[in-house]
Amino acid sequence: MYDRFITLIVVLFVFFLPVFPQQDYESMSDFDAMFDDELEQMQQMAIDIVSTETDRADEIAREILSQAKKSQVKYKALGYYILGEAEYYREHYDLALKYYKKAEPYFEMVSDSVRMAANYSNLGLMYLYKANYKKSLLYYEKSYGLEKLMNDTVGMATSLQNMGLIVGH
């Protein structure tokens, strides 16, 4: 009797499955886009306030990291970058270095040259503060290389100036 019941349920499931509405993949992509928009707005707000409201920017960055899906590598990068910025403005340079380093592989995965160049520059600065001139120069050179590819003359000049500071030590 039990076997017949299970068989009946399986048969009903197989025959009536097409009657149930299928997942609308277009609306799912709309949902994902809406979710991306929310994360984008959060990261922009955090970047805008990080120098004046470090605690609030820190909270937003942590929220971005908790909400970002594994596939949203860009937001993982931005979350760690913002945490690094918050720690920089708090003058906690070791923590800033830690978060900038965590952001680095994520930026490299998404090939966000603008933010990657900024992150490299920040890493160069953190290593300069630690008097690790070799690593500092390495990151300023990486930043310069990306800025040159983007034809960012202001960024290139800044990187060259920063490299000059290291050579002066």
Side-chain angles (χ1 to χ4, degrees), residues 55-74:
D55 291 342
R56 180 69 183 124
D58 191 290
E59 289 172 16
I60 294 170
R62 291 179 192 284
E63 186 64 25
I64 290 168
L65 288 169
S66 73
Q67 286 188 22
K69 299 174 192 172
K70 286 183 181 179
S71 63
Q72 294 172 306
V73 176
K74 170 185 174 182

Side-chain angles (χ1 to χ4, degrees), residues 19-31:
V19 173
F20 296 107
Q22 297 296 312
Q23 184 66 36
D24 181 1
Y25 291 109
E26 186 174 309
S27 67
M28 280 304 292
S29 65
D30 291 344
F31 176 77

